[in-house]
Amino acid sequence: MRIVRYKARTKQEAWQRIRAELGPDAVIISTRLVSPWLRWFGKEYVEVVAAAGAPSPRRSAPPADATTAERVIAAAHEAREQERATAAPVGAVAPESSNGRHSATPHASAGLRRRSTAEVTDLQQEIREIRNALGRLMSWTAPKDDAAEAIVTQLTDRGLSEELARDLVGAARGETGEVTWEGVRAAIAERIDVMGVSDLLAAGRPPKEARDSALPGASGDGPLVVAFVGPTGVGKTTTVAKLAARHAILDRRAVALVTLDTYRVAAVEQIRTYAQMLDVPLEVVVSLEDVRTALERHANKELIFVDTIGHGPNDEMQLGQLRMLLSAMAPDQVHLVLAAPTDRRTMLNALERFSRLKPTHLLFTKLDEAVVHGAMVETAIRSGRPVSYVSYGQDVPEKIAPAAVDKLAAAICPEED
Ligand SMILES: Nc1nc2c(ncn2[C@@H]2O[C@H](COP(=O)(O)OP(=O)(O)OP(=O)(O)O)[C@@H](O)[C@H]2O)c(=O)[nH]1
Ligand SMILES: [Mg+2]
């Protein structure tokens, strides 16, 4: 058998040459269109591999650059031809060659089969890959689960990414395979954690490490230091005022405020006004020395709330300065404050950018202004950090509440199934 590879401009041209050279019984083994990597270095052409003729006395090897499939097909052809030549009808005497030996030795055929084992394995692997690809294709074209699809649509309408919506719907599937809103709410609740300042105060906090090294004089048992970081205008200062009021006035705890936001005079005046209204001390910190003084001065307090400057996307310098002062404060908690009406990608971007300040919690503001809450829920889930509070209005101190998992889940799921 001859196996020949032809290159031609068209399939018809290749086929004509094959018939002319190999005869009318030639068999096409493979055909492929070859596009040169850079079109201007060559033209497209058709490559056809064909086999023809009776078994040749010597097996003609497939071309050196034959594909696995071509080599396996050629080997299988050859083996079949040889088997045909040596096989005798049941009960008949095996044909012998003129010298009395079998004309085609079984060893040759076995060797051929042995040689092709690795190639068959390759082919099986290729078949497995094709089967997997087909499986994926089938799942895309499988009849849709209408109820599940409707839930995915509603979740994406509420600002969740399709990827997370499908993920939650998948997790919400009960044993029956049915998807309900109750299941989705449970799947969300499983992925969101909540924890406020009060929880930490109640539970007792873990020992401090960083503060001692940054400020040798500071005690590890001092006040609970809680910082608030985040983009500009999200409500950091208002949140500090709300929480300071809750703890200083309602809980009667010893509270101090610190601001690291000295970039704008108005920012200092804003928090000073709140401090005076609440009758709590305020420290304005611009250097490491100020950090030390502030921590020493308020070592007897239970809580120190730290307000920080808001950041735009490109203010690396301010972020670096803030990082230095903040790490010297060694806060027990760093709440990343994000406004709920922010679109999902911007919010996830902020999460990534502010990760350099090592936020321990997320705090969402302006829920009252958000039309949909998918960005908030998705960021909470993707961050893996607990949500501490949600703020839902400008009024100090009323419009803030500890985050609740069921309420966060309900923010993107309708009440009824
Ligand atoms: N509707 C609504 N407005 C809020 C909420 N929280 C804060 N605000 C308002 O948002 C505006 C900005 O609040 P700030 O507390 O100054 O925000 P900030 O993050 O400290 O701003 P910068 O310090 O400039 O980065 C103010 O008008 C607040 O009254 C909220 O939950 N809902
Ligand atoms: Mg502020």
Side-chain angles (χ1 to χ4, degrees), residues 27-351:
V27 178
I28 304 290
I29 293 176
S30 70
T31 305
R32 69 185 179 118
L33 183 68
V34 180
S35 297
W37 182 53
L38 291 171
R39 269 176 172 276
W40 46 91
F41 286 154
K43 290 198 171 114
E44 271 184 359
Y45 61 90
V46 176
E47 185 185 85
V48 180
V49 177
S56 53
R58 289 175 50 133
R59 185 165 95 86
S60 63
D65 59 342
T67 64
T68 309
E70 286 164 14
R71 278 182 279 121
V72 172
I73 288 168
H77 257 282
E78 188 82 359
R80 205 165 47 234
E81 295 301 344
Q82 291 202 13
E83 265 167 26
R84 235 183 249 152
T86 55
V90 178
V93 179
E96 287 189 358
S97 65
S98 54
N99 64 5
R101 298 169 69 115
H102 291 288
S103 57
T105 67
H107 301 294
S109 173
L112 202 57
R113 280 195 213 105
R114 241 197 332 272
R115 261 205 308 280
S116 61
T117 306
E119 292 162 344
V120 169
T121 309
D122 282 352
L123 196 63
Q124 281 172 336
Q125 175 62 25
E126 279 177 30
I127 290 169
R128 256 198 304 277
E129 280 165 17
I130 292 168
R131 197 182 290 148
N132 288 346
L134 269 177
R136 282 199 295 276
L137 199 65
M138 299 265 290
S139 76
W140 294 336
T141 54
K144 294 262 189 281
D145 173 349
D146 289 341
E149 284 306 307
I151 290 180
V152 168
T153 306
Q154 290 200 49
L155 288 172
T156 52
D157 282 351
R158 291 178 180 136
L160 221 59
S161 69
E162 186 177 340
E163 188 194 1
L164 182 57
R166 290 201 180 279
D167 195 3
L168 289 171
V169 164
R173 251 178 228 290
E175 278 173 12
T176 56
E178 197 192 349
V179 181
T180 60
W181 280 112
E182 195 188 337
V184 175
R185 274 196 293 273
I188 294 171
E190 237 172 54
R191 294 168 193 216
I192 295 184
D193 212 0
V194 292
M195 188 192 203
V197 173
S198 313
D199 296 320
L200 197 60
L201 280 172
R205 57 169 218 253
K208 266 192 193 299
E209 314 129 13
R211 192 187 300 170
D212 306 278
S213 56
L215 294 162
S219 150
D221 302 322
L224 189 75
V225 178
V226 183
F228 298 83
V229 300
T232 50
V234 288
K236 296 179 293 296
T237 307
T238 311
T239 300
V240 165
K242 286 174 180 174
L243 291 176
R246 277 175 78 106
H247 288 93
I249 297 173
L250 302 179
D251 288 356
R252 298 181 178 282
R253 290 189 186 270
V255 173
L257 302 184
V258 168
T259 181
L260 306 183
D261 183 0
T262 53
Y263 186 67
R264 290 178 302 122
V265 177
V268 177
E269 287 317 308
Q270 184 192 11
I271 195 158
R272 198 186 300 285
T273 307
Y274 282 126
Q276 284 167 354
M277 277 167 52
L278 301 173
D279 195 21
V280 295
L282 168 72
E283 299 293 333
V284 180
V285 164
V286 292
S287 66
L288 286 176
E289 192 49 40
D290 292 342
V291 172
R292 182 197 300 274
T293 309
L295 288 174
E296 279 174 357
R297 196 173 286 160
H298 299 291
N300 60 343
K301 300 286 187 304
E302 285 176 272
L303 274 165
I304 296 180
F305 288 114
V306 183
D307 190 17
T308 65
I309 186 166
H311 288 276
N314 301 315
D315 38 23
E316 287 296 318
M317 219 174 76
Q318 280 181 358
L319 197 66
Q321 167 83 356
L322 174 56
R323 204 151 63 135
M324 183 188 73
L325 292 176
L326 201 58
S327 70
M329 295 284 315
D332 297 275
Q333 297 184 343
V334 177
H335 297 238
L336 173 57
V337 182
L338 297 166
T342 313
D343 80 84
R344 189 182 68 244
R345 271 189 292 180
T346 309
M347 203 187 274
L348 288 170
N349 179 262
L351 175 68

